[in-house]
Amino acid sequence: MSRAEQLFNQGLEHYRNRQLIKARDCLKESHELAPNNPQVSDLLAFILRLLGDLSLSRKHFENAIRNSKGEPKPELLLRYSSLMLDLGDTEGTKKNAKNIIEKLPNSAEAWSLLGECYFRELQMAKAVDCFERADKLITSNHALLKKLSTCYHSLCLWKKAVEVDNRLIEVTKAEMAADRISPLDVHTAFMFVTDGTFMREIAENLSTQYQRLQQEIGLALKKSDRSRNSKKIKLGYFSTHLSRHATAYLVQDLFGHHDYSQFDVIVYASNPDQDCPFYNKIKKQAKCIKEFNTESDLEVAQAIHDDQLDVLIDMDGVVGKARRGIFSLRPAPIQITWKGTPATSGAKWFDYVLLDDVVAPMELEAHYTEEVLRVPDCYFFNSSASMEVAQTDKADYNLPDDKFIFASFNLNRKIDEDSFMAWCKIMNTVEDSVLWMLIDDNETRKNLANVMEINDVDPQRLIPTKRVGADEHVSRLKYADLMLDSFVCGAHTTCVEALWMELPVLAKIGDTFHARVAASMLTAAKMEDCITRTTEEYINRAVEIATNDEELARLKSHLKENKETLPLFDQKKWVLNFEKVLADVVERSRS
């Protein structure tokens, strides 16, 4: 047996024992001795992906494909295609998935991968077809159930969604009871879970299971002595979404308001887009910004640790390409989760969560594993003053001039059946009205039109609109009269945009974080009379606003005349209050 083969076998054994660092090192050495061995490259690429080094993983997958004898194995192509999808190459992944299906029409993995491509392209009907095919080919695939749930909710096929959601809840409770990983993640749960305790249990399970995996892998920081004696607080912000994402859009003004005589601030940006205007503004405002592109979670965490921060703030949670592996390594003595995900992290590596009294009143603190820090007014910092507003024309949106315009710009998967039924009742009462809705898929429009018809509302009163650029989206908000928020998972960024554009928002407050954000914003906008607690109250208030010109004018005038002084939009005051909270936390830790 050659030395390369010996190293490969050792690497394989380390992988089976979940010792990924040792496995990687053995396989790297094996690859140096046998650079054209596809088996070595394949396993090395797979392990590098698990360790978060996607760029190097891609290089080795491509080497494995290039050196395969004859046609590469479908399993190899599936692993490579899945990585390419993570790297954002939807078209390449779709092409590979179709090629595999042509050769292996019963490959559930290939159908699922193709469905994921259509899902990311917002072609929900095609995505559902692929996921349903995969679901028939393989049993007990929890990831498929999650995708089906999201697709059914996005298409507003609520009866089908409920069937899948119930299956997900059942298997999730069973798996968690057996101390196995929860099939249901918090982002999928947002669409239908109304129990904050269950949300916490899911988050806690996922974080615990993730930490166990890291411990098995053996990742650890090289600890260094904290020799810094400065009285200034050293504060770090980390995000993978500081360009072309709602997070960047919302925090672009944040870093210009810090008191740099009291705080040293470092912004850590993972894979930023240098052409993004939001990121460029953040770069100009931040005194110190550090970028990470190809570094692994361990390398990033070590770099942050070496900066000797007092506090590290995570702005991602578990959204998108969030890198919780960095935070689980504890690079800072105080770690705070904020902004990214409207749910508890469930993680022992976060000490605090930053919220407010509306989102997290004392009676709901049990929904969080972290200690709750509260800022006055609303926890949701926003950069509304920097929103670019395009020139638009009402006629471009097929909107009538003589009707009351109700609007919903929430993603379709946020539209639950109870909310839409309430909207139908409102429209039945307010006959001279239309419902202007963001709708991604023509199938969704048809499904909603059918529900309206069943409930004696003319489907022609549904006016669909598509996703557009941020500047056009903000501009078009002014053509609506009242934005109707959904019940189970309400508006967040969309709500603050609407209020800035002087569009009143009507919300029904729930018990979970994701059902309380709009209420928090309305409170900070001093519009508590637009927060309701029951469906009946919600319907009655909508009808009152729509049928009383003076009431509508009062609400719009309030937003227009007080915009500059409302707590919701007072950036300087928000940062000052936040700094007071941070100073208190750091003082407690030092004493």
Side-chain angles (χ1 to χ4, degrees):
M1 183 182 292
S2 69
R3 177 60 178 159
E5 290 173 321
Q6 289 176 346
L7 287 164
F8 173 79
N9 289 334
Q10 289 173 19
L12 181 60
E13 186 64 23
H14 286 313
Y15 164 68
R16 287 170 176 162
N17 292 326
R18 306 303 296 170
Q19 296 174 314
L20 298 191
I21 300 296
K22 290 181 178 179
R24 179 199 64 188
D25 293 344
C26 286
L27 291 166
K28 276 187 174 182
E29 194 175 344
S30 177
H31 173 71
E32 289 173 2
L33 295 171
N36 297 324
N37 187 317
Q39 192 177 20
V40 173
S41 295
D42 184 11
L43 184 55
L44 178 56
F46 181 71
I47 289 170
L48 287 166
R49 183 185 179 191
L50 291 176
L51 290 170
D53 194 341
L54 302 189
S55 297
L56 192 56
S57 174
R58 175 180 180 174
K59 175 184 174 182
H60 285 287
F61 269 132
E62 289 174 348
N63 189 60
I65 291 169
R66 187 168 51 250
N67 289 299
S68 294
K69 295 179 181 178
E71 285 287 318
K73 293 182 179 180
E75 295 81 3
L76 169 59
L77 291 176
L78 281 167
R79 287 191 288 273
Y80 173 65
S81 299
S82 181
L83 171 73
M84 292 306 296
L85 191 60
D86 282 349
L87 289 168
D89 185 0
T90 307
E91 280 302 315
T93 305
K94 190 160 54 173
K95 181 179 178 181
N96 286 344
K98 287 180 177 179
N99 287 338
I100 294 169
I101 288 169
E102 193 172 315
K103 297 170 184 174
L104 299 171
N106 290 328
S107 170
E109 293 82 2
W111 279 111
S112 183
L113 194 61
L114 181 59
E116 181 64 30
C117 293
Y118 287 129
F119 178 83
R120 296 190 185 194
E121 293 175 340
L122 303 179
Q123 298 188 63
M124 294 299 169
K126 288 185 176 181
V128 162
D129 179 62
C130 293
F131 291 139
E132 286 179 340
R133 285 172 181 261
D135 191 41
K136 292 175 182 176
L137 291 167
I138 191 169
T139 58
S140 302
N141 189 307
H142 303 147
L144 271 177
L145 287 181
K146 289 192 295 185
K147 289 300 179 185
L148 281 170
S149 173
T150 303
C151 286
Y152 288 147
H153 281 283
S154 298
L155 290 165
C156 297
L157 292 169
W158 296 304
K159 286 185 172 56
K160 285 190 173 185
V162 168
E163 291 176 8
V164 174
D165 295 345
N166 287 340
R167 286 170 63 190
L168 266 175
I169 291 171
E170 183 180 349
V171 297
T172 294
K173 289 181 176 179
E175 292 296 295
M176 292 197 301
D179 198 25
R180 292 190 289 266
I181 190 166
S182 166
L184 184 58
D185 60 79
V186 292
H187 269 279
T188 306
F190 287 152
M191 297 178 293
F192 58 90
V193 173
T194 58
D195 181 351
T197 300
F198 188 42
M199 289 292 293
R200 187 203 68 218
E201 290 169 353
I202 293 169
E204 203 165 9
N205 170 277
L206 293 171
S207 295
T208 300
Q209 297 291 341
Y210 185 84
Q211 193 164 41
R212 282 180 186 170
L213 176 61
Q214 272 212 328
Q215 290 169 347
E216 289 175 4
I217 292 171
L219 295 180
L221 295 177
K222 296 177 182 177
K223 297 293 183 179
S224 58
D225 293 333
R226 291 180 59 83
S227 56
R228 196 173 62 84
N229 295 314
S230 173
K231 291 183 179 180
K232 292 171 72 173
I233 293 172
K234 199 165 188 181
L235 172 65
Y237 291 89
F238 179 89
S239 180
T240 61
H241 299 102
L242 287 181
S243 47
R244 307 200 186 281
H245 189 273
T247 297
Y249 173 63
L250 290 164
V251 304
Q252 59 181 303
D253 291 344
L254 173 65
F255 308 101
H257 294 298
H258 270 300
D259 181 354
Y260 287 94
S261 69
Q262 300 297 317
F263 288 81
D264 283 329
V265 179
I266 303 176
V267 178
Y268 301 100
S270 178
N271 294 301
D273 181 347
Q274 302 295 338
D275 295 325
C276 173
F278 308 141
Y279 182 62
N280 285 327
K281 186 170 185 179
I282 291 169
K283 284 176 71 175
K284 287 177 183 177
Q285 289 186 353
K287 299 289 184 181
C288 179
I289 193 159
K290 297 187 178 183
E291 298 177 352
F292 299 101
N293 295 301
T294 61
E295 293 85 349
S296 67
D297 288 351
L298 178 60
E299 290 169 328
V300 175
Q302 188 66 56
I304 295 173
H305 170 74
D306 293 345
D307 283 333
Q308 296 194 355
L309 300 177
D310 291 301
V311 181
L312 177 61
I313 297 173
D314 171 34
M315 296 192 290
D316 293 341
V318 293
V319 69
K321 297 178 181 179
R323 299 179 67 177
R324 59 183 175 172
I326 293 169
F327 289 86
S328 67
L329 290 167
R330 270 286 183 178
I334 299 172
Q335 299 191 159
I336 300 174
T337 179
W338 171 64
K339 199 73 169 175
T341 303
T344 181
S345 68
K348 293 179 181 178
W349 56 82
F350 281 116
D351 307 286
Y352 302 99
V353 58
L354 184 69
L355 300 171
D356 59 58
D357 285 326
V358 176
V359 165
M362 295 295 290
E363 63 268 23
L364 297 181
E365 273 198 2
H367 293 173
Y368 303 90
T369 57
E370 312 88 350
E371 182 176 337
V372 176
L373 297 176
R374 293 179 177 85
V375 288
D377 307 309
C378 181
Y379 84 102
F380 199 93
F381 181 89
N382 67 88
S383 299
S384 298
S386 293
M387 291 178 184
E388 293 188 9
V389 182
Q391 292 293 321
T392 56
D393 191 316
K394 186 177 181 179
D396 294 338
Y397 302 103
N398 195 32
L399 296 170
D401 292 320
D402 59 344
K403 306 288 184 185
F404 189 93
I405 300 173
F406 293 109
S408 168
F409 290 98
N410 282 341
L411 297 177
N412 294 148
R413 62 177 178 266
K414 286 188 175 184
I415 311 301
D416 58 278
E417 185 173 16
D418 287 347
S419 295
F420 197 76
M421 295 301 287
W423 299 350
C424 287
K425 290 179 180 178
I426 292 165
M427 294 181 73
N428 270 326
T429 305
V430 186
E431 295 182 355
D432 286 334
S433 66
V434 296
L435 178 58
W436 187 26
M437 278 189 70
L438 175 66
I439 297 178
D440 287 324
D441 193 292
N442 192 47
E443 289 299 313
T444 305
R445 184 196 62 77
K446 290 178 182 177
N447 294 333
L448 291 173
N450 289 337
V451 175
M452 293 176 77
E453 195 164 23
I454 291 169
N455 287 276
D456 299 321
V457 181
D458 185 352
Q460 296 300 314
R461 294 168 66 186
L462 176 65
I463 301 177
T465 192
K466 294 288 185 182
R467 298 191 196 200
V468 294
D471 57 343
E472 182 183 347
H473 166 65
V474 171
S475 177
R476 68 182 172 182
L477 292 171
K478 61 179 175 280
Y479 302 126
D481 293 308
L482 178 65
M483 193 174 98
L484 298 173
D485 199 18
S486 45
F487 298 167
V488 175
C489 186
H492 299 170
T493 305
T494 305
C495 181
V496 80
E497 289 171 332
L499 296 172
W500 178 256
M501 293 303 293
E502 301 155 25
L503 171 61
V505 176
L506 182 65
K508 175 175 171 282
I509 192 169
D511 288 335
T512 57
F513 187 162
H514 53 281
R516 300 181 71 87
V517 176
S520 170
M521 293 176 182
L522 287 165
T523 301
K526 299 189 182 300
M527 295 184 71
E528 291 91 342
D529 55 354
C530 286
I531 303 170
T532 64
R533 284 163 175 76
T534 67
T535 302
E536 182 181 8
E537 184 186 354
Y538 179 94
I539 293 169
N540 291 339
R541 183 63 173 138
V543 171
E544 179 186 16
I545 295 170
T547 56
N548 186 327
D549 292 343
E550 290 183 1
E551 179 63 2
L552 178 63
R554 182 186 70 80
L555 294 172
K556 292 199 171 191
S557 176
H558 166 75
L559 289 169
K560 182 177 183 180
E561 294 174 5
N562 300 295
K563 188 185 297 184
E564 303 302 325
T565 58
L566 290 172
L568 181 62
F569 303 118
D570 192 335
Q571 297 177 348
K572 291 182 180 179
K573 182 182 177 183
W574 192 97
V575 175
L576 180 62
N577 288 329
F578 181 38
E579 287 179 341
K580 289 178 181 177
V581 171
L582 291 173
D584 179 63
V585 167
V586 172
E587 184 179 352
R588 279 191 277 153
S589 73
R590 289 176 176 175
S591 61

